[in-house]
Amino acid sequence: MKIPSGLVIQDEKITKYLLVYQPKSDKSKYLALAGYNLENWELLKNDIMNAVEGSEIAKVTPSDWGTQFEVKSEWTGPNGQLIKVITIWQQDEETEFVRFITLYPDKSQET
């Protein structure tokens, strides 16, 4: 099953969460390895969208608010480093949009 269309990423998810150091479950250091920072946050947003649109869903999970989708993807960051991530999306009940929740490094293929 492919991820539905209508993907939405709120700018704040990138500028105030993913690319800002978090004491718990930080993603900014991993994204920095591929060259992402607050100065090029729009590039990260576009790269996530381009990597996920039309992708196969790895896992579907019902939640209290709708349906969550897990999508594995990879792309090359602005510094040429390959990045492998798992993104979490949610389609809230009675909406047509699928909104971005978070991402984390995909360590499933590491040796």
Side-chain angles (χ1 to χ4, degrees), residues 21-60:
Y21 175 76
Q22 305 291 322
K24 186 175 179 182
S25 301
D26 180 60
K27 279 83 172 175
S28 65
K29 288 182 184 175
Y30 181 72
L31 293 168
L33 293 174
Y36 295 106
N37 56 55
L38 285 172
E39 292 178 11
N40 64 9
W41 69 269
E42 291 169 317
L43 179 60
L44 175 58
K45 181 178 177 178
N46 290 333
D47 286 349
I48 293 170
M49 294 288 271
N50 290 335
V52 171
E53 284 181 332
S55 293
E56 289 292 323
I57 296 171
K59 185 177 177 184
V60 177

Side-chain angles (χ1 to χ4, degrees), residues 30 71-74 83-86 104-110:
Y30 181 72
V71 178
K72 295 181 178 188
S73 56
E74 61 182 57
I83 186 169
K84 295 181 180 185
V85 299
I86 296 173
Y104 53 92
D106 182 359
K107 299 178 181 177
S108 65
Q109 298 177 358
E110 289 183 358

